[in-house]
Structure formats: C-alpha cells, structure tokens
Amino acid sequence: MAVNGIETTAAWRTLTALAGRSRDLHLRDLFAADARRAAGFSLAHDGLLLDYSKQRVTTEIMTALNALWEIADVPGWMEKMRAGEAINTSEGRAVRHMALRDPEPPAEVRAVLGKMRRFCEAVHGGDWRGGSGEAISDVVNIGIGGSDLGPKMATQALAACHQLQLRVHYVSNLDAAHLATTLAPLNPRSTLFVVASKTFTTQETMSNARSARHWIVAALGEAAVSRHFVAVSTNFKEVAKFGIDPDNIFEFWDWVGGRYSLWSAIGLPLALAVGFANFEAFLAGGHAMDRHFFTAPPQSNLPALLALLGIWNIDFLGAETLAVLPYSQSLEHLPRYLQQLEMESNGKRVGRNGLPLAYSTAPVVWGEAGTNGQHAFYQLLHQGGRLIPCDFIALKQPDFVLSGNTPHHAALLANCFAQSEALMRGKTLDEASRELASAGMTAEAVAQLAPFKVFPGNQPSSTLLLPRLDAYTLGQLIALYEHKTFVQGIVWGLNSFDQWGVEYGKQLAVRLLPLLEGGVASGDALDSSTAALIAACRVTPHDR
Ligand code: F6P
C-alpha cells in the first residue's frame, strides 16, 4: 500500500461508514444498553487501568480500528525502529530512544549512565563543589523544547521523591526575565548550571548559557567555570567552543530525537532532583511499556488503543483538539510535554513520500491540571458545543498526604470521575426542568431557566488510572504516550521524527535581529506590517 493511501483502503471506508451510522449514538444510551460496558471497554496492565468506555465506540468500531494496525503495518515499522533502521528518512537518522531504557543498553549508553550516576553521587554527597569550595545547593538546567520540557515535567511529577539538599530549576525562555528571576535568589558559589542542547546552537539556550556564564565569572572569576558548568549534548565541538570542560560533557547521540531525549543524559537534572536510583526506576518503567507495546495485540495494547481511539476521534468524528486533564498537581506540566511530543511529531501535512495527506493528523493538544481547569475552561467542554475528546489521568493513591482529616485525594478523584460522567451523560431539558421544579420553582421560572441547564453530553473521554505517581509509573506513562504517537504517525503515513516546521520562523528571526538592534535589513524587503512593528519598537523620548 502506498504510504499515504490509507484513506483508500476498505478499512478506512468501513470506519467512515461506521462514523456516519454512529452520529445518532449517545454515550448514555450505550451505557444503558450494556451494564458491562466499562468491563468490555477497558484494559488493565501492570498496575495501569485504561477505561475507554466513555469513548464513542462500539465493538464493531473497535474491530475496524484494530484492523488499521496490520493495514498500516505498525508491527513492521516497530521492528524497523527496534533494528535501528533510519526511519527518520528526511534527516537520515535512526530512532533508538528505546535503547536508552533497555536493561542491557549499548556500551556507549551504559558508559554515560555510569558517568551520570557518579556525578549525581558526587553532587549529592557534597564531593562536587563550586569554585570557592561550597557544596551545590541549586542546579539550573538551561535548555528548551525537548531539552527542557521532559526533565521539567518529570522533576515536578516526582516532587515527592526530591533530594531535599538540592533544588533544581529550569530556564528555557529567551526572555531575560526567565533567567533573571531564577537567578535572583541564588548564590553563584553554590549554583551549578546544566547546559542542555542536542545541537548546542539553539539561540535561546546559547543566549541564556552565555548570560549565566557571565554571572558566574563576574562573581567567581573565569577559573570557576569548570566547577559550575556541565553540558549535555551531541555536539562536542560547540561545547568546547563555549568553554565547558570536555570532562564535564554528558553525551547523547543523533539517534535520540529531542522530544524523546528525557531517557538520555538530558534526564541529568531529573536524576539530580530525585536521585539516580529513581532515574533507573523511571527507565525501568519505560522499558516495561516497550515490552508490552511489542508483545500485546492491538486490542489489548495500551499505546495502540490510545492511538486508534485518537484516530477515530480526529479522522472520523472530526475532533480537532485533545484535552489532557491530569488530576494531579504533580503532573501539571504533562499537557505541555505532550504538546511537543504529539504536535511536533505528528503535526505534519505531507506523508513520508512528500505528498499531501488527505486527512487530519495531530490534534491541538492542550490541558491543565484538575481541578484548576474546572474553574477555567470546562464550561466550554460541557456547553460550548464543540467535540473535544479528553484524556483524564488520575492517581489511585496520592503522592502527598497532609496532616489533618481533610479528604483532599478522595475529593480530587470524585471531581475527576464526576467530570467524565457529566461529559458522557449530559443532562436533558426534561431532567433539568424536573430538577428545578423539585427545588420549588414555578413552572414559568423553570421554563425560563431550564435551557441554560441543559448539557448535551456525548463528549468522549478516556480515563487512565495510575496506581501511584512514582518513577516507574511515570516511565510507563511517558513511554505509553510516545508509542501512541508512533502508532498514529505510522497509520497517518508520516515521519514522526523530523520537525522542519520550526525552521522557517527561526530563519526569519535571524534576519530581523540586526534591524531591532538598529542595523539595516539584509535580503528581501520587509512586508509593511513587520517593518511597522520594528519601527514602533524604536525607543522614543515618550517611552522614558
Ligand atoms: O523546537 C525545535 C527543536 O529542534 C526541538 O525539536 C528540540 O527539542 C529543541 O528545538 C531544542 O533543541 P536543542 O536540544 O538542540 O537545543
């Protein structure tokens, strides 16, 4: 089959027909018709429970979706990935992040893991000291995109495991406000910078790293740099040019994509935050998910189910977004992390052969930790009239317990399950009217108010219940979404591992910088809007 010919297959046509026939299906009717729906549309594996009974699917639809697994040859592509074939064709690279979490990793991976372990122990034990002899109290990771979002998300997720003697901070934004406000309370004598960049050429990271270096040199002198800077990169030449001691480089490789790099030395700040044993447990969780992904048939394969349900919602029901709603403050950064994972991987308009795709690909991924989101955007989920599939993520056991008897966790779970129930069930005009009447309202008042109290429901969601939020479970969770993204990319026939879409804006910014610094434009003339905006930024006497 041609790579992006999946829309011409009988399976795709069957799914289109099923979507047409299912337009009038309402989730509340599906539940009413089958008392065992939850059991039939859920999957438990290695402590995780995925309940997808609130998705708008039937057994017939699931069977048709599962057929895409073979038709798109997902197993064949999995093997190519595992064998180290250059499946990132537009960059000519292999995709081998799974090797980073293999209990028997390649020798070069094992060597870097050993170096990371020794470094973590030295920092935690106070053997690694700053230039003036002080132990390290604060680590600042300077990176962006995959060199920031993963370790930042995971550091927050594992807040309950933090090494108390060390605080880990993340700086990514080119805006000086990010570095300035992070450094303000820190002491240069006890601050260690991790400059994390696969290419070591990224403008944001290099600008922040240069300013951080200036901060250290101004306080402690040039000689202190080697005690206050380490680098994580694939580009030794650029790291050396920047002036970081070659002994202080933690290597990774071009076969690790930026957004899949948390498992590599990019995870160093995470390992510093939670200790190396927890980092190893994180790798073990990821590997356990790899084993499951490679062995389970699609109907009982967690990544496959998430991927195929997403394809159903996007390509057959017409959903344009996916709301990720973790009912866990510690997973606050997960939606942002998944934005890069899914949107940078699968936000593509052409297939692997360069031809335009005839269907929608990655959804707009967004979200917020519950219950905060409930007080911000859930109104639109319930009554805004758009189809917005949701991934609810909840923890069976809390990661933090406060003293006193306030039932934080039970209330959190109650809110999570109530929201997915309300989104599924909705409330009819009849039900709303009866409710108001039984509260003692007059018939006239009921008629006036009831339309505002109607909830259409039928909003699809999955709920992923994690046993707890520890390093192993987090590893499972992240690898689950990675493989989900992989399966979708294969079914959509695209290359999930390049990101040409981020290049153009970068190119134009390079051209505009001299103008904003008062110089002259090079290359083509500017459009009138860009020229006027630049002109408006010239500081005038009125600005003072
Ligand atoms: O956003 C584009 C991108 O290339 C990402 O894929 C990557 O994670 C990020 O920039 C940072 O790149 P680097 O690690 O090379 O600084």
Side-chain angles (χ1 to χ4, degrees):
M1 190 192 72
V3 281
N4 28 340
I6 196 146
E7 77 282 8
T8 64
T9 61
W12 198 269
R13 282 198 299 273
T14 303
L15 284 160
T16 307
L18 285 169
R21 291 214 301 274
S22 72
R23 282 213 200 289
D24 298 331
L25 279 187
H26 196 290
L27 279 166
R28 65 155 65 195
D29 299 327
L30 294 176
F31 274 92
D34 177 6
R36 293 186 39 78
R37 182 170 170 83
F41 294 88
S42 59
L43 176 64
H45 170 75
D46 196 10
L48 309 180
L49 173 69
L50 174 68
D51 175 353
Y52 59 98
S53 59
K54 297 191 188 90
Q55 293 285 350
R56 281 158 54 171
V57 289
T58 58
T59 308
E60 198 184 4
I61 291 168
M62 288 312 298
T63 305
L65 281 171
N66 288 333
L68 296 177
W69 175 265
E70 289 296 337
I71 288 165
D73 191 22
V74 178
W77 284 96
M78 286 160 76
E79 280 315 319
K80 286 184 198 189
M81 173 164 71
R82 181 151 68 179
E85 279 188 39
I87 60 169
N88 176 358
T89 43
S90 71
E91 295 182 314
R93 289 179 181 165
V95 175
R96 293 180 54 211
H97 51 273
M98 283 189 304
L100 301 165
R101 53 203 188 213
D102 194 314
E104 312 250 334
E108 69 264 40
V109 173
R110 190 187 298 279
V112 174
L113 284 171
K115 187 169 175 177
M116 287 169 69
R117 177 204 300 275
R118 289 190 294 281
F119 183 69
C120 287
E121 286 167 359
V123 171
H124 293 146
D127 298 328
W128 180 285
R129 291 184 175 258
S132 53
E134 287 190 30
I136 300 301
S137 61
D138 293 87
V139 171
V140 180
N141 188 78
I142 297 180
I144 198 163
S147 302
D148 166 72
L149 289 164
K152 182 167 69 189
M153 172 277 297
T155 299
Q156 164 93 343
L158 300 181
C161 314
H162 282 187
Q163 301 275 315
L164 295 179
Q165 73 273 36
L166 202 62
R167 291 174 294 266
V168 178
H169 315 264
Y170 290 87
V171 171
S172 54
N173 202 315
L174 184 55
D175 186 339
H178 202 175
L179 185 63
T181 54
T182 305
L183 295 187
L186 304 190
N187 178 355
R189 292 169 190 277
S190 60
T191 299
L192 173 75
F193 290 94
V194 177
V195 185
S197 174
K198 182 172 169 180
T199 55
F200 229 75
T201 56
T202 304
Q203 184 189 33
E204 293 88 337
T205 301
M206 290 303 105
S207 303
N208 281 323
R210 274 192 289 273
S211 296
R213 195 176 193 284
H214 186 266
W215 186 72
I216 288 292
V217 171
L220 307 171
E222 188 71 33
V225 168
S226 69
R227 305 308 297 166
H228 291 269
F229 279 87
V230 301
V232 180
S233 189
T234 61
N235 191 344
F236 279 41
K237 217 164 105 201
E238 286 299 322
V239 178
K241 262 204 239 161
F242 181 84
I244 290 181
D245 190 332
D247 284 348
N248 293 354
I249 305 178
F250 295 84
E251 187 184 12
F252 68 115
W253 307 272
D254 73 357
W255 44 263
V256 183
R259 51 194 174 274
Y260 301 87
S261 62
L262 169 58
W263 317 92
S264 72
I266 287 291
L268 183 63
L270 169 65
L272 285 165
V274 300
F276 201 76
N278 275 314
F279 187 69
E280 284 180 315
F282 172 70
L283 298 182
H287 177 69
M289 185 53 69
D290 295 341
R291 276 203 319 266
H292 166 67
F293 179 52
F294 274 77
T295 51
Q299 65 275 14
S300 48
N301 185 312
L302 288 168
L305 284 172
L306 279 189
L308 296 169
L309 289 164
I311 288 170
W312 172 248
N313 287 329
I314 295 160
D315 293 308
F316 299 98
L317 299 188
E320 293 190 332
T321 82
L322 170 68
V324 177
L325 307 168
Y327 274 67
S328 158
Q329 183 60 26
S330 302
L331 289 175
E332 188 189 10
H333 296 314
L334 184 70
R336 224 166 304 154
Y337 172 79
L338 294 181
Q339 274 177 340
Q340 190 199 15
L341 178 63
E342 297 205 21
M343 293 163 78
E344 200 166 85
S345 296
N346 290 340
K348 310 278 165 74
R349 56 173 287 283
V350 296
R352 282 190 293 268
N353 55 6
L355 296 175
L357 298 170
Y359 38 78
S360 298
T361 57
V364 176
V365 177
W366 59 289
E368 169 68 67
T371 56
N372 294 355
Q374 290 177 204
H375 297 271
F377 53 79
Y378 277 42
Q379 163 65 37
L380 184 146
L381 297 183
H382 288 292
Q383 294 185 316
R386 291 173 199 270
L387 177 72
I388 302 183
C390 304
D391 278 4
F392 287 93
I393 300 170
L395 314 178
K396 219 161 137 180
Q397 289 175 43
D399 51 346
F400 284 92
V401 178
L402 294 168
S403 56
N405 293 324
T406 310
H408 284 267
H409 197 64
L412 188 65
L413 289 177
N415 272 278
C416 176
F417 302 156
Q419 290 298 331
S420 69
E421 184 187 0
L423 288 168
M424 174 275 281
R425 183 191 299 282
K427 194 186 281 183
T428 63
L429 184 62
D430 225 35
E431 287 168 335
S433 305
R434 266 186 277 126
E435 237 175 62
L436 293 173
S438 63
M441 277 195 165
T442 63
E444 197 189 348
V446 166
Q448 257 174 23
L449 191 55
F452 299 98
K453 300 252 182 184
V454 171
F455 292 69
N458 214 17
Q459 193 77 287
S461 74
S462 297
T463 300
L464 184 65
L465 191 59
L466 313 181
R468 66 193 78 78
L469 191 52
D470 59 11
Y472 178 88
T473 312
L474 184 69
Q476 291 176 293
L477 176 70
I478 299 308
L480 164 59
Y481 274 95
E482 280 182 358
H483 291 317
K484 169 209 167 174
T485 305
F486 173 83
V487 174
Q488 291 191 330
I490 297 302
V491 172
W492 285 326
L494 52 81
N495 178 359
S496 298
F497 301 102
D498 60 11
Q499 56 284 315
W500 299 107
V502 297
E503 294 301 323
Y504 188 33
K506 282 191 205 170
Q507 242 175 33
L508 295 188
V510 168
R511 174 164 152 266
L512 299 184
L513 178 62
L515 284 174
L516 282 151
E517 289 180 316
V520 285
S522 60
D524 302 343
L526 295 181
D527 65 81
S528 61
S529 166
T530 309
L533 287 167
I534 290 174
C537 286
R538 298 223 170 89
V539 178
T540 67
H542 296 297
D543 294 321
R544 296 207 184 90

